[in-house]
Amino acid sequence: MIAKHEAVLAALLVAAVLAAAAVSPWLIFILTIATAKGIAVLGILLLLRAGQVSFGHALFVAFSAYTVAFLAPVLNDVALLLPLGALAAMALGLVVGAFVVRYREIFFGMLNLALSMVFYSLLEKLYTITHGTDGIRVSLPRFFGMALERHAYEWAVLVTALVLAVACAVFARIYLASPMGQGLSAIKTREARLEFMGVSARLVLLSAYVISALMAGMAGAIIAMTSRHVTPHLGYWTASGELVFIAILGGAGGVIGPFLGAIAFELVRVYAAASFADAWQLILGTTLLLVIMFARGGLWGLVLKLTGRRA
Amino acid sequence: MSGVLLSAKGLRLAFGGVKAADGIDLDVMEGEFLAIIGPNGAGKTTFINMSTGYLKPQGGEISFAGERILGLSPRAIVRKGVGRSFQLPQLFTEHTVLENAALAVASREGFFSALTPLLRPRWREEAMELLERFGLTGIAHTRADALNEGARKLADIAMAVALKPRLLLMDEPTSGVAASEKMAIVERLATVLRDARVTAVFVEHDMEVVGRFADRVAVWSQGRIAALGTPDHILNDPDVRREVIGIETGGSHAAA
């Protein structure tokens, strides 16, 4: 029953995003970025199921975004840039994951942070290649062979992001219900038992890690093609912290939570920054504090409570 | 009983100055129930840990079904047919009993093979059938962290049996279980294992359980096997009764 309930809520959320974008076109940019971040946070959620928090997943967002920026001059089409950026992040996730899944808890989190900061430093220091903190501009890509004018292009990317978000949420739900997904909670509670069942806990975690890198890569590619300007800040530790922040805000109990969290985060940030320029971080921090204190299940938990459902 | 299933030769392992295994030689015969008794710290659990790859002995050899398993990982040893259960049940506490059993069933056949639901009909049916054999169907949908000790022990063993092992090593399967339900649990367990033709080695402190269910008994003392024989022979040995069971005369009693 919860699946049907989730499907209805997901459909309502997608409709609300499209309606908001239609009514206020200036929101298209914000909602596209929010949807992209929601996809990245969905990957974080998979790792949270295993009790592991990554403080370095902006690495994959930035890696994909820079892949898009480097490839754009020669392959300037969303249909090519998006999959190539995402696959590049997934490949990096496989390499990094093979190393970090040997560690747990704080070591896992900090190793991810350290590796993301190494990449951030490279982006910043290798000026001749990356243009340092100036970043790289991405010219307006074609959309599946079509040269769209800017407004139509922004709509096309938003719809693409929403389609990917729904596909990723459906996949994550199926994955979490499978033995592999259930194995993630098993890692959190009795990892040794998995080994004595003939199952490699590292392989279970690695599979989730690679999927999470792929999702972060999709997010990075969408962000690069939306903002059309990539800078090292995409890989900075605060960007990774933001993803964890959104995961807690949205709630880790369901696959819609990351998207609720991301949309709420971006909207609060935009409106708070516009209304209280010097205090938007205070407002965001207070929001998170309230969620942690009074709604442990995050926004998704609140939605379930309000609609009389249990996770 | 037929040939040797598990064979340990000259196993040695010391933790600092404490010899947990000091030249263990033991052959476990296919089809038998072998009980391991002895005081705490004698090295009984160490033997199970070495046989399942959790600890690596400093010397000696271990083979299973004629194949050397020394140095293999617990995963590899499990896949060869050696299962184990734990003194402290190792259940996945966020899952129900049924999900725990289904995870064990799924791990045997294609944990990584497909994105199919854990409770798909085939795995669910096999898990339910397993729980039925262990008398756990009434608590199939109870979360593992809400079970009493007896149910936790049985569920823990059921997960090991789900892997269809040829040899099952059980570390104190009745410890912590209420005296009133102990014999019923062991009776059910013995029936399941004999029906599934599983050879069993179990560490046990209750001599009544040992006398009733073991085919042979090995007495552990300071990392060595002090005596090995039938329950009648071992449990009536004056030295064993004094040193292990802790009584000078009379019938068999549960050790502390």
Side-chain angles (χ1 to χ4, degrees):
Chain A
M1 285 306 100
I2 190 80
K4 195 177 171 187
H5 188 60
E6 263 183 326
V8 171
L9 288 171
L12 286 175
L13 188 61
V14 170
V17 167
L18 291 172
V23 172
S24 306
W26 66 275
L27 276 176
I28 293 176
F29 177 85
I30 291 158
L31 292 172
T32 307
I33 298 291
T35 307
K37 284 185 180 172
I39 295 173
V41 173
L42 192 58
I44 299 280
L45 178 141
L46 299 183
L47 299 175
L48 283 174
R49 287 291 171 97
Q52 309 305 318
V53 186
S54 167
F55 291 110
H57 256 50
L59 163 68
F60 304 110
V61 174
F63 191 77
S64 170
Y66 271 84
T67 301
V68 167
F70 285 127
L71 291 178
V74 285
L75 300 169
N76 203 18
D77 193 309
V78 170
L80 294 170
L81 294 175
L82 179 53
L84 287 173
L87 289 173
M90 187 175 85
L92 180 66
L94 186 60
V95 175
V96 173
F99 171 59
V100 298
V101 298
R102 295 164 180 267
Y103 300 88
R104 296 289 179 271
E105 298 172 353
I106 191 69
F107 302 103
F108 178 87
M110 289 296 115
L111 265 175
N112 276 287
L113 175 68
L115 290 167
S116 74
M117 288 307 290
V118 167
F119 185 64
Y120 167 80
S121 299
L122 290 174
L123 291 177
E124 204 182 31
K125 304 294 180 196
L126 299 176
Y127 188 86
T128 50
I129 302 170
T130 64
H131 299 183
T133 50
D134 294 343
I136 303 173
R137 288 206 66 79
V138 179
S139 56
L140 191 71
R142 296 170 74 84
F143 188 82
F144 289 85
M146 295 178 287
L148 302 176
E149 54 86 22
R150 195 178 154 193
H151 185 64
Y153 169 81
E154 286 176 352
W155 263 106
V157 175
L158 172 61
V159 171
T160 304
L162 286 171
V163 169
L164 278 178
V166 171
C168 286
V170 170
F171 173 81
R173 209 172 190 294
I174 293 170
Y175 176 80
L176 287 172
S178 75
M180 289 287 276
Q182 295 290 310
L184 293 172
S185 337
I187 288 175
K188 187 162 74 175
T189 54
R190 287 278 185 265
E191 182 170 341
R193 182 65 192 237
L194 271 184
E195 297 286 328
F196 282 103
M197 281 165 39
V199 176
S200 165
R202 280 185 193 169
L203 211 50
V204 172
L205 188 56
L206 180 62
S207 78
Y209 194 89
V210 171
I211 293 168
S212 72
L214 174 68
M215 289 178 175
M218 287 181 197
I222 294 167
I223 290 170
M225 292 185 300
T226 304
S227 65
R228 295 174 41 225
H229 183 213
V230 299
T231 66
H233 187 76
L234 283 170
Y236 197 50
W237 68 270
T238 53
S240 294
E242 203 173 278
L243 298 179
V244 178
F245 185 115
I246 293 170
I248 296 167
L249 181 66
V255 296
I256 298 177
F259 299 99
L260 286 176
I263 291 169
F265 179 86
E266 289 299 328
L267 289 179
V268 169
R269 174 150 75 180
V270 166
Y271 281 106
S275 310
F276 310 97
D278 297 327
W280 67 270
Q281 285 153 318
L282 181 71
I283 293 170
L284 271 177
T286 308
T287 307
L288 186 65
L289 204 61
L290 289 172
V291 165
I292 290 172
M293 287 173 70
F294 301 109
R296 296 294 292 270
L299 296 175
W300 175 241
L302 272 180
V303 169
L304 289 180
K305 211 172 182 178
L306 292 172
T307 53
R309 304 279 174 158
R310 289 174 61 198
Chain B
M1 273 180 245
S2 50
V4 175
L5 191 58
L6 182 81
S7 176
K9 302 279 181 219
L11 289 184
R12 284 186 295 103
L13 181 62
F15 300 106
V18 180
K19 289 179 178 174
D22 188 16
I24 297 288
D25 290 310
L26 180 67
D27 284 341
V28 178
M29 311 305 288
E30 182 144 31
E32 76 170 333
F33 282 10
L34 174 74
I36 297 177
I37 63 173
N40 288 332
K44 306 182 296 294
T45 299
T46 300
F47 174 71
I48 288 184
N49 285 337
M50 289 189 295
S51 302
T52 52
Y54 189 70
L55 289 175
K56 192 175 178 188
Q58 291 153 342
E61 273 299 332
I62 312 177
S63 60
F64 174 72
E67 194 180 340
R68 186 175 187 260
I69 58 171
L70 186 72
L72 297 183
S73 68
R75 280 203 311 278
I77 292 175
V78 166
R79 289 201 203 102
K80 290 192 180 297
V82 181
R84 78 168 289 181
S85 68
F86 299 82
Q87 187 178 352
L88 296 173
Q90 299 288 302
L91 303 174
F92 303 124
T93 49
E94 288 186 354
H95 290 91
T96 64
V97 174
L98 176 62
E99 287 166 343
N100 269 275
L103 270 167
V105 170
S107 72
R108 200 188 68 235
E109 47 164 292
F111 203 89
F112 297 98
S113 65
L115 287 174
T116 50
L118 173 64
L119 293 180
R120 73 175 177 176
R122 196 156 54 82
W123 288 341
R124 183 191 180 93
E125 280 162 22
E126 188 176 335
M128 281 304 283
E129 190 268 333
L130 179 76
L131 295 182
E132 194 177 336
R133 279 192 281 153
F134 277 87
L136 297 172
T137 44
I139 53 166
H141 300 289
T142 306
R143 260 177 65 131
D145 55 2
L147 303 177
N148 66 33
E149 190 62 13
R152 275 156 43 87
K153 287 274 185 187
L154 273 180
D156 188 61
I157 297 167
M159 286 178 74
V161 171
L163 305 176
K164 297 195 172 170
R166 284 178 71 187
L167 170 68
L168 180 59
L169 300 153
M170 295 179 284
D171 197 355
E172 302 194 22
T174 66
S175 71
V177 177
S180 57
E181 58 182 9
K182 189 177 282 188
M183 292 313 285
I185 283 177
V186 179
E187 192 84 57
R188 186 179 285 275
L189 179 59
T191 304
V192 171
L193 295 181
R194 290 207 196 278
D195 287 350
R197 298 170 188 273
V198 177
T199 303
V201 173
F202 59 105
V203 172
E204 186 55 67
H205 285 292
D206 188 322
M207 296 308 135
E208 196 181 342
V209 170
V210 171
R212 195 149 150 195
F213 296 101
D215 297 312
R216 285 197 301 159
V217 182
V219 183
W220 245 249
S221 177
Q222 297 180 334
R224 289 175 162 274
I225 297 179
L228 178 66
T230 62
D232 271 355
H233 171 71
I234 294 295
L235 299 181
N236 291 310
D237 182 313
D239 290 338
V240 172
R241 295 178 69 79
R242 187 175 57 252
E243 299 296 332
V244 179
I245 307 175
I247 50 176
E248 295 288 341
T249 55
S252 57
H253 289 267

